[in-house]
Amino acid sequence: MRRRSSLPVTFLVPTLAILLVLSMVPTLYAIVIALQNRELSMTGYSWVWFSNFADLFLDRRFLNAVWVSVKWEIVTVVATMAVAIGLGVLMFEAASPRLRNFYCLLFIIPVLLPRVSAAFVWKFAYHPLYGIATYPYRLVTGGLIFDPLSKPATALFAVASVDVWQWGLFFAVIVLKLLETLPPQPIEAARLDHAKRWQIHAYVTLPMLKAPLISLMFVKMIESLRSFDLIYVMTRGGPGVATETLDMYAFSQGFIESGKVSYASAMAVLMMIATVITFTMLWKRVQA
Amino acid sequence: MKLYPIRLGRLIAKVILALAGFLAVFPLLWTALNALKNNVDIITRVPKVIFTPTLANIGYILGRDSVLTGLYNSVVACGSAVLIGVALGLPAAYAVARYPNRFAGDIQFFVLSLRFLPPVAVAIPLMVIWLQVGLYDTLPALIVTYSLLTISVIMWLAIPAFQGVPKEIEEAAFVDGYGAYSVFWRIALPVAARSLAGAIAFSFVLVWNEFLIALMLSSSNAKTLPIVASELSQQGMNVPWGILNASVVLLSLPPLLFLGILSGFLNSVFRQKKS
């Protein structure tokens, strides 16, 4: 009965067609724009083929943005996973079921906030004179000023801390739920062998959860690509170019500074190619 | 004697957890508190906990046309995009979950891969396209663009939700003479409703929080609330901290309304895994 129904066709084809159109049109058009020399202020344009791409590789600011993006990706992914696993294990070990539910609810709150809100909340908190997060430092040092967002050495980490605040706490909830799905027998067995608590997790539970933890890391890697809102609100890529990631630079080239849409698009195309290739390879690996 | 280090370890663990719980909500509560303060009570070197509250900031925010337009735009753009996502995403997810064919894996990967696309790479060409067809800075342009996000996310999350519906129920309905479509409408949808609500809520939060695309696709008429809120901070040198805090609170409330649904959704996902 199921086989002969027209349902799969009528349910799938329109949706997939719309998704294909909505995704392929901008993608292909991004490539077309990248091969031209469009600017926002001018109506005419001509084909310049690969000269935008050639220019990019001589652009020191672009190379800096690549480096900042790589740093951002590594810092946020590693810190998120560390926080998530740490807090997840702690909840599993030291919290009663009722307390676990309570913490889970609290830890989901930051990730639900719009990135713009989270960025503002922490921008106030990091304010050198009136911020709540810098207050302990002022108190201890007797009023010295610490301005994490305007120092090149700390700005990236200060912004990254907001990302970890949102995602690390949320992932801690998922790590706890994953630990709860494990069968209790291996843990009991390890306990009978006088394994210490941390040993049980390092050698038994976490290795058992290797596959879902890797998937989780994969999700975080994708979400870390969306750093724009945080950086735009908190530092605008500054101080100097210390927190200027690729999407921030593409945006400022395309819109704020010069309106070089084609140049920005070339950057976006490179990002797209790099991420699609990387993530397709990773995804196939994770699935295999 | 031997118990002692374990007890100490537990105590430290509890302290760390309590600290993390505090860190999770305190910055937000502080922002909400600041929204009720006069500027003089915010600009103090020692944070003030006791102050005379004022509703002036909230009143100012709710009385501004730009904020109300932003709110209206956000509600209309996100609401419509979610509705389109539901109308197109749920049936497609059901078809993938219940009528597996050899493309099912590829379809799922395609839907997920839409999430890999850098938002800038979508926003720049779309801006040029919408400019050319004369829809730049309008709500329809934003709704169509957001639909790409909502359809793919709802579909991605609804596939496991439909797979979680016991097959026996659907088989029984077929035996009772239901057609394929009425099984979807009258059996699968209601049974999976709770998980589906989670998926839909998630997609709403995602587009409500969206910033980069809205920033690039609007200049004045179609600005959404996040854009309006981010612009409030650029009003000259004299930063109106209280007003800014109030706008952050307004912007953050809708996603937080879904806290209950979403945490229930998380629980049901993992309960499925366990069984």
Side-chain angles (χ1 to χ4, degrees), chain A residues 2 10 15 177 226 236, chain B residues 88 115 170 181 234 267:
Chain A
R2 266 180 185 228
T10 43
T15 304
K177 309 261 173 202
R226 286 146 218 275
R236 289 269 167 128
Chain B
L88 290 169
R115 197 81 193 132
E170 289 186 28
Y181 292 93
Q234 292 152 28
N267 283 329

Side-chain angles (χ1 to χ4, degrees), chain A:
Chain A
M1 273 188 293
R2 266 180 185 228
R3 293 277 149 70
R4 278 204 262 118
S5 168
S6 61
L7 183 139
V9 176
T10 43
F11 274 13
L12 258 182
V13 172
T15 304
L16 287 181
I18 287 171
L19 279 183
L20 263 177
V21 170
L22 282 182
S23 61
M24 291 321 284
V25 168
T27 314
L28 295 177
Y29 208 61
I31 299 173
V32 169
I33 296 173
L35 300 175
Q36 299 169 339
N37 65 349
R38 282 176 194 257
E39 293 193 16
L40 275 184
S41 50
M42 301 191 296
T43 42
Y45 60 88
S46 57
W47 293 82
V48 297
W49 303 108
F50 290 97
S51 82
N52 282 325
F53 292 94
D55 290 347
L56 275 179
F57 287 100
L58 297 172
D59 182 348
R60 300 251 315 260
R61 216 170 136 192
F62 170 73
L63 299 177
N64 170 71
V66 172
W67 172 231
V68 172
S69 293
V70 171
K71 264 200 294 193
W72 169 267
E73 195 74 11
I74 294 173
V75 168
T76 54
V77 171
V78 170
T80 299
M81 292 310 288
V83 167
I85 291 175
L87 288 179
V89 167
L90 285 183
M91 274 194 280
F92 187 71
E93 283 295 333
S96 62
R98 273 184 67 187
L99 211 55
R100 277 184 198 176
N101 283 338
F102 175 66
Y103 279 130
C104 285
L105 217 55
L106 290 190
F107 288 170
I108 297 175
I109 290 174
V111 83
L112 288 182
L113 295 184
R115 300 276 266 181
V116 174
S117 294
F120 271 128
V121 165
W122 283 94
K123 199 181 175 186
F124 302 137
Y126 281 140
H127 193 280
L129 292 177
Y130 319 121
I132 190 83
T134 52
Y135 174 65
Y137 183 83
R138 290 198 300 276
L139 194 68
V140 171
T141 59
L144 281 181
I145 283 173
F146 173 58
D147 190 357
L149 286 174
S150 66
K151 283 208 183 105
T154 53
L156 184 84
F157 294 100
V159 182
S161 71
V162 183
D163 186 70
V164 176
W165 178 65
Q166 290 198 284
W167 286 93
L169 296 178
F170 171 53
F171 277 9
V173 175
I174 296 185
V175 171
L176 172 69
K177 309 261 173 202
L178 287 170
L179 285 169
E180 285 173 346
T181 60
L182 288 179
Q185 294 87 353
I187 302 175
E188 298 285 323
R191 210 167 272 166
L192 288 178
D193 288 341
H194 300 291
K196 295 199 173 70
R197 295 291 178 110
W198 68 268
Q199 286 174 324
I200 295 177
H201 288 292
Y203 300 115
V204 182
T205 59
L206 293 176
M208 284 170 85
L209 291 173
K210 197 176 155 203
L213 287 178
I214 289 176
S215 304
L216 212 55
M217 195 163 96
F218 183 75
V219 170
K220 180 60 193 132
M221 287 168 81
I222 295 174
E223 291 307 320
S224 278
L225 294 173
R226 286 146 218 275
S227 56
F228 181 84
D229 326 12
L230 282 183
I231 291 170
Y232 180 83
V233 171
M234 292 183 81
T235 64
R236 289 269 167 128
V241 288
T243 57
E244 192 169 73
T245 50
L246 279 169
D247 41 10
M248 190 67 221
Y249 183 44
F251 179 78
S252 62
Q253 279 296 307
F255 297 87
I256 304 175
E257 288 167 23
S258 38
K260 290 198 269 182
V261 183
S262 282
Y263 195 60
S265 195
M267 240 181 286
V269 167
L270 281 185
M271 276 168 78
M272 192 161 66
I273 294 172
T275 50
V276 168
I277 291 177
T278 320
F279 285 121
T280 307
M281 274 168 34
L282 280 174
W283 175 252
K284 300 280 176 207
R285 264 244 167 112
V286 170
Q287 293 292 295

Side-chain angles (χ1 to χ4, degrees), chain B residues 228-271:
Chain B
V228 176
S230 85
E231 279 172 354
L232 281 175
S233 70
Q234 292 152 28
Q235 293 179 337
M237 298 296 286
N238 215 346
V239 184
W241 292 103
I243 292 166
L244 213 44
N245 279 296
S247 70
V248 167
V249 171
L250 176 68
L251 180 62
S252 313
L253 276 180
L256 291 179
L257 292 180
F258 292 105
L259 180 65
I261 296 180
L262 286 170
S263 80
F265 175 60
L266 260 182
N267 283 329
S268 72
V269 167
F270 285 95
R271 217 170 298 131

Side-chain angles (χ1 to χ4, degrees), chain B residues 17-36:
Chain B
L17 278 178
L19 216 63
F22 172 77
L23 260 180
V25 285
F26 178 69
L28 197 59
L29 291 178
W30 189 249
T31 306
L33 215 57
N34 275 351
L36 299 173

Side-chain angles (χ1 to χ4, degrees), chain A residues 8 12-13 15-16 19, chain B residues 92-93 95-96 99 101-114 155-156 159:
Chain A
L12 258 182
V13 172
T15 304
L16 287 181
L19 279 183
Chain B
V96 173
Y99 295 85
N101 56 44
R102 62 203 164 90
F103 302 115
D106 293 325
I107 292 172
Q108 264 177 294
F109 179 69
F110 166 67
V111 174
L112 177 71
S113 72
L114 295 177
M155 197 173 152
W156 177 252
I159 291 173

